[in-house]
Amino acid sequence: MLSARSVTVGHGRTVLFTGFDLDVRPGEIVGLVGPSGCGKTSLARVLAGLAEPLSGQVLRDGPVTMLFQSARRAMDPRLTLRRSIEVCADGEVGWESLCARADLPISLLDRFPRQVSDGQLQRAAIARALVGEPRYLLCDEMTASLDPATTAAVAATLRRAADDGAGVLFISHDLHLVDAIASTRKVLTP
Ligand SMILES: Nc1ncnc2c1ncn2[C@@H]1O[C@H](COP(=O)(O)OP(=O)(O)OP(=O)(O)O)[C@@H](O)[C@H]1O
């Protein structure tokens, strides 16, 4: 399980929220909502181990990977999609099954980020995340700039990842989408 226990998060002397509890189990999608600036990204960074909480505990029983709103900023523009994915793999990549899991057309693998759409790049970012076999995926507004059809495809991909055993934290301002894909909705308030 990925758990936050009575976690207080802030930056320097600024406290964003106190005493927050959260559990994400393998195979489950948990939605996280809250007003802009309340600290959702800051919490995700703490859960991923990229930052320390001011107090409280984070428990992780497996690798955690973050996915961001802007795949264009997250992916190296100098590398083909294939290379970006390969460098995150432990060994040989099973391209067919990976691309099927991420809903990424294999024909795009040898393109550079500038040669694919935002939605296609987001799927490549998902493939790159999945190739590391994370137990937990923390998705930070990753559908915010996508059209409805691409959003639905990405949501279906996350559902499949959860069905394959990943625990997913889905951060979004889209309450309808959160309720459609998450089994639990947590609200973060300042
Ligand atoms: N590294 C940092 N140093 C100082 N302050 C920061 C840092 N990162 C974020 N903040 C501040 O912390 C607050 C919470 O930011 P955060 O991005 O976690 O909120 P959020 O809930 O994800 O917002 P949004 O929904 O708008 O994406 C903001 O006021 C932000 O300016």
Side-chain angles (χ1 to χ4, degrees), residues 173-187:
H173 288 287
D174 183 341
L175 295 186
H176 292 296
L177 181 60
V178 166
D179 287 345
I181 72 164
S183 52
T184 311
R185 190 215 285 178
K186 287 283 287 185
V187 182

Side-chain angles (χ1 to χ4, degrees), residues 96-159:
E96 279 202 20
S97 74
L98 179 68
C99 288
R101 283 166 73 200
D103 197 23
L104 174 68
I106 270 195
S107 57
L108 299 181
L109 281 174
D110 294 312
R111 294 195 192 181
F112 289 90
R114 65 176 180 278
Q115 297 171 319
V116 299
S117 72
D118 287 348
Q120 290 166 339
L121 197 57
Q122 193 56 281
R123 286 176 234 188
I126 292 173
R128 188 180 63 167
L130 293 177
V131 80
E133 300 294 342
R135 186 162 299 168
Y136 301 100
L137 283 172
L138 308 184
C139 306
D140 190 2
E141 305 200 27
M142 62 178 292
T143 57
S145 55
L146 304 180
D147 66 52
T150 311
T151 295
V154 166
T157 299
L158 295 178
R159 182 71 263 162

Side-chain angles (χ1 to χ4, degrees), residues 1-2 23-31 135-137 158-159 161-163 165-170 181-184:
M1 195 148 70
L2 173 65
D23 288 324
V24 183
R25 294 171 183 78
E28 173 187 44
I29 301 181
V30 174
R135 186 162 299 168
Y136 301 100
L137 283 172
L158 295 178
R159 182 71 263 162
D163 290 343
V168 178
L169 181 70
F170 187 74
I181 72 164
S183 52
T184 311

Side-chain angles (χ1 to χ4, degrees), residues 2-171:
L2 173 65
S3 298
R5 290 276 172 271
S6 199
V7 157
T8 293
V9 169
H11 300 283
R13 289 187 191 160
T14 307
V15 174
L16 294 172
F17 56 87
T18 59
F20 192 72
D21 292 314
L22 174 78
D23 288 324
V24 183
R25 294 171 183 78
E28 173 187 44
I29 301 181
V30 174
L32 180 68
V33 300
S36 184
C38 70
K40 301 180 295 298
T41 297
S42 302
L43 171 64
R45 288 176 53 78
V46 164
L47 291 170
L50 300 173
E52 288 297 316
L54 296 179
S55 65
Q57 258 195 315
V58 173
L59 309 166
R60 297 174 206 93
D61 63 1
V64 178
T65 295
M66 273 189 85
L67 284 160
F68 302 93
Q69 175 176 347
S70 175
R72 215 157 278 286
R73 278 171 52 194
M75 300 285 280
D76 189 330
R78 298 163 304 176
L79 301 182
T80 62
L81 307 189
R82 185 189 298 277
R83 190 69 196 132
S84 273
I85 294 167
E86 261 170 1
V87 295
C88 294
D90 261 349
E92 283 280 294
V93 179
W95 291 107
E96 279 202 20
S97 74
L98 179 68
C99 288
R101 283 166 73 200
D103 197 23
L104 174 68
I106 270 195
S107 57
L108 299 181
L109 281 174
D110 294 312
R111 294 195 192 181
F112 289 90
R114 65 176 180 278
Q115 297 171 319
V116 299
S117 72
D118 287 348
Q120 290 166 339
L121 197 57
Q122 193 56 281
R123 286 176 234 188
I126 292 173
R128 188 180 63 167
L130 293 177
V131 80
E133 300 294 342
R135 186 162 299 168
Y136 301 100
L137 283 172
L138 308 184
C139 306
D140 190 2
E141 305 200 27
M142 62 178 292
T143 57
S145 55
L146 304 180
D147 66 52
T150 311
T151 295
V154 166
T157 299
L158 295 178
R159 182 71 263 162
R160 276 198 303 277
D163 290 343
D164 287 344
V168 178
L169 181 70
F170 187 74
I171 299 173

